[in-house]
Structure formats: C-alpha cells, structure tokens
C-alpha cells in the first residue's frame, strides 16, 4: 500500500485529507482500474470490516477495533466512491459491484481467506459476500443489520424515526446531536466519537454523495430483486443459509433493529447464532465495548 502525502480527494469544497487515525498502514489499492482507500492494522488472521450507510466510510470503526490488533489483521476499506476511494468509471454502483471488488481486494492483498464483519447495511454486503465466496470466508459477523423484514415495515419505522429525531434539524450541529440520540442508548464520551462524527460530516456535507447515493440505491434495488428477493429479504431463504458459521450481534434498543424478526431469521439458519447487547442501540462496539470485543475475540479464535 503506497500513499503519496497528502492523501485525500478534491471536490468543489476543496481538498479532504485522508483518515488521520495513525495506527494502520494506509494508501490506495487499485482494483479493476479504480483506486480504493485501504488501511491495514495488526497481526494475525485477517478480519475485513464493511461499513454501513450504504455510503458511510470506514472511519467510525476507529479507534475501537484496534482492541483486536494484537491478534488479528484488521482490514478497513472504503468502497467505491466513498470518502477518498475513487469513483467508478464504467461499472454500476451497488451491492453486487461491492462484493466483486472486495474479493478482488482479497486477491490483491494475497489473502487466501478472511473473516468478514458488516455493520448495518454493510451486513447485507457481508452476507452476500459469504454466499458468493463461502470458501474465502471463515466466519461472518453481522452487527445491527435488520433481517426478515418487508420494505413497507422498514419505510414506516424510518418515517417514525425521522419525525422523532430529525423533524426540527436545520444545522450541522443539530444534525449530529440528533444522530447521537438516534444511534446511542447512552451517549459516549466525545473522544470515543471523534471518527464517527467525521464520517457523519463527510456523508452529509459533500455534494457528490447525493448523486452517488441515488445511483447506488437505484442500482442496488435492481440487484436486490435478482440476488436477494423481491420483498426485501424475508422470502429468500438461501440468503440466510450460508455454509459457514455466522453471528448476528444485535443492539436490543436499536430503533431500526427489528429485533424479533432479526432473531427469528437468524435462528432459521443452521449456522446462525444470535448475540444480544441489551444496553446498545446501533453501535454496540462503542456502547458495550468490553462485552462486544470479548465475544468477537472469542469467536474469532475458536
């Protein structure tokens, strides 16, 4: 991984520097003609982390996952067009492109197989990756990823959440405050959220995200029908029946967690396991850090 300093990207608002978190090796990796931003930290069996959004970037995993770096190689990657990874040239944005490029990254990094963790929407990407590349996936972790739901259910809850938390938001400061209340059961110390806030600011402030989001969602909707199922994911049983052990880490206070249907869908799978975090909303590795990483570390080393 090589990075000419300073690394970053430019848009109409100026130059945006690379993630300032100091620990990993970092730089661009070229995949199918596109430069992807990748950070690698630690030693041991590799763990790939996939961010949610679907258009957030890797930074909110910092500094928390460094807890695992003594025994595991952590791989953070911003998918195409996100943060400072370069935009796609010819291929369509969407979940299908993401899983193909992630496996291309694995090959590029000369990794035979890895464990994969996906947060929120990233859990869908992780699950599809494991479905398509089971021999390349050791263990699979979904974190705060709602399962077994219909699109109408999700849309109605999302509308309620927007009215509850974001109806009176008119400034950047108020937007971050609303996101804190929505995402966290008990708001953590400010230094724990440094990179979470940077991710949020990037996602909301740069105009090209608007175009990217529209293209990604439209493309993914088409791919969703072809790859997952016509009614979100509740009718497509094979989506859950991956051939490797997988673990669903659920914040039981998450307002878009759909805990009952998520647990039911996970338990339908012979390889699925549920791990509950009773005092967490959407980010259990921040709210219940010790329990989260004890559980994750134990499973990874089994």
């Amino acid at each position: 991984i090589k990075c000419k300093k300073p690394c970053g990207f430019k848009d109409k608002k100026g130059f945006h520097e690379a993630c300032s978190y100091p620990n990993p090796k970092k730089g661009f990796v070229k995949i199918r003609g596109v430069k992807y931003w990748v950070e690698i930290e630690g030693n041991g069996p590799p763990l790939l982390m996939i961010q949610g959004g679907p258009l957030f970037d890797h930074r909110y995993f910092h500094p928390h996952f460094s807890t695992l770096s003594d025994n595991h190689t952590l791989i953070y990657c911003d998918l195409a067009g996100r943060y400072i990874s370069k935009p796609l040239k010819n291929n369509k944005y969407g979940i299908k492109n993401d899983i193909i490029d992630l496996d291309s990254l694995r090959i590029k990094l000369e990794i035979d197989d890895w464990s994969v963790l996906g947060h929120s929407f990233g859990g869908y990407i992780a699950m599809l990756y494991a479905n398509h590349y089971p021999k390349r996936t050791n263990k699979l972790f979904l974190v705060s990823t709602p399962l077994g739901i219909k699109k109408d259910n999700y849309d109605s809850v999302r509308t309620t959440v927007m009215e509850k938390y974001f109806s009176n938001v008119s400034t950047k400061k108020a937007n971050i405050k609303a996101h804190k209340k929505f995402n966290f059961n008990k708001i953590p110390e400010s230094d724990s959220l440094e990179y979470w806030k940077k991710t949020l600011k990037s996602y909301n402030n740069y105009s090209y995200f608007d175009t990217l989001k529209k293209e990604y969602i439209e493309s993914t909707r088409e791919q969703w029908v072809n790859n997952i199922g016509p009614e979100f994911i509740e009718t497509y049983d094979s989506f859950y029946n991956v051939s490797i052990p997988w673990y669903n880490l659920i914040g039981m206070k998450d307002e878009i967690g759909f805990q009952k249907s998520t647990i039911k869908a996970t338990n339908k799978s012979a390889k699925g396991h549920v791990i509950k975090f009773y005092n967490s909303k959407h980010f259990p590795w921040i709210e219940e850090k010790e329990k989260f990483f004890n559980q994750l570390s134990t499973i990874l080393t089994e």
Side-chain angles (χ1 to χ4, degrees), residues 175-184 187 193 196-197:
N175 180 56
I176 290 177
K177 186 177 180 180
H179 271 279
K180 284 181 182 178
K181 288 183 177 179
F182 169 59
N183 282 302
F184 298 102
I187 296 173
L193 298 180
W196 177 85
K197 287 188 288 186

Side-chain angles (χ1 to χ4, degrees), residues 120-135:
S120 195
F121 187 91
Y124 301 132
I125 301 173
M127 181 70 91
L128 275 179
Y129 179 88
N131 265 305
H132 281 73
Y133 303 105
K135 293 182 179 179

Side-chain angles (χ1 to χ4, degrees), residues 36-283:
Y36 283 68
W37 182 253
V38 178
E39 300 188 3
I40 299 177
E41 176 183 14
N43 296 284
L47 172 66
L48 169 71
M49 285 161 287
I50 305 173
Q51 67 274 9
L55 301 181
F56 285 94
D57 60 70
H58 79 280
R59 285 176 294 175
Y60 64 69
F61 291 125
H62 293 321
H64 313 283
F65 275 80
S66 294
T67 300
L68 299 173
S69 62
D70 287 344
N71 299 305
H72 303 280
T73 300
L74 308 175
I75 300 166
Y76 311 88
C77 174
D78 290 331
L79 295 163
R82 274 143 276 193
Y83 191 40
I84 58 173
S85 289
K86 303 303 180 182
L88 292 177
K89 295 176 181 177
N90 301 314
N91 297 316
K92 274 188 175 183
Y93 287 104
I95 196 168
K96 187 175 181 180
N97 188 84
D98 287 343
I99 65 171
I100 292 170
D101 283 355
L102 284 171
D103 202 60
S104 298
L105 173 65
R106 179 192 61 77
I107 295 168
K108 197 86 171 182
L109 296 179
E110 299 181 343
I111 293 172
D112 290 332
D113 47 56
W114 50 14
S115 292
V116 179
L117 180 148
H119 172 242
S120 195
F121 187 91
Y124 301 132
I125 301 173
M127 181 70 91
L128 275 179
Y129 179 88
N131 265 305
H132 281 73
Y133 303 105
K135 293 182 179 179
R136 302 305 181 188
T137 313
N138 288 324
K139 294 184 176 82
L140 170 67
F141 301 91
L142 276 58
V143 184
S144 304
T145 302
L147 299 178
I149 57 174
K150 294 182 179 180
K151 188 176 184 300
D152 290 345
N153 298 141
Y154 185 83
D155 287 345
S156 63
V157 171
R158 181 174 175 81
T159 299
T160 303
V161 167
M162 292 299 291
E163 290 176 353
K164 181 177 178 181
Y165 291 97
F166 300 97
S167 58
N168 296 315
V169 172
S170 58
T171 65
K172 295 174 186 176
K173 186 176 180 180
N175 180 56
I176 290 177
K177 186 177 180 180
H179 271 279
K180 284 181 182 178
K181 288 183 177 179
F182 169 59
N183 282 302
F184 298 102
N185 178 46
K186 183 180 179 182
I187 296 173
E189 297 293 327
S190 182
D191 58 352
S192 295
L193 298 180
E194 178 185 356
Y195 291 96
W196 177 85
K197 287 188 288 186
K198 287 182 177 181
T199 298
L200 196 64
K201 287 178 180 178
S202 294
Y203 184 78
N204 285 283
N205 293 351
Y206 302 139
S207 58
Y208 81 91
F209 275 117
D210 293 334
T211 303
L212 175 57
K213 184 175 182 180
K214 182 179 179 182
E215 184 177 338
Y216 187 95
I217 295 299
E218 287 179 354
S219 177
T220 293
R221 187 178 293 116
E222 175 187 335
Q223 295 166 6
W224 209 272
V225 172
N226 294 330
N227 290 280
I228 304 177
E231 281 282 350
F232 227 42
I233 55 178
E234 83 288 352
T235 61
Y236 197 69
D237 288 343
S238 63
F239 178 71
Y240 305 109
N241 290 330
V242 293
S243 58
I244 60 165
W246 65 283
Y247 301 84
N248 210 328
L249 288 72
I250 303 169
M252 296 303 288
K253 295 185 183 295
D254 190 348
E255 294 187 55
I256 54 169
F258 292 91
Q259 289 83 358
K260 288 184 179 180
S261 63
T262 299
I263 292 168
K264 182 179 178 181
T266 306
N267 287 334
K268 280 174 63 178
S269 170
K271 297 284 188 176
H273 305 272
V274 172
I275 302 174
K276 300 176 184 178
F277 295 87
Y278 290 97
N279 296 307
S280 296
K281 283 191 175 181
H282 206 55
F283 290 84

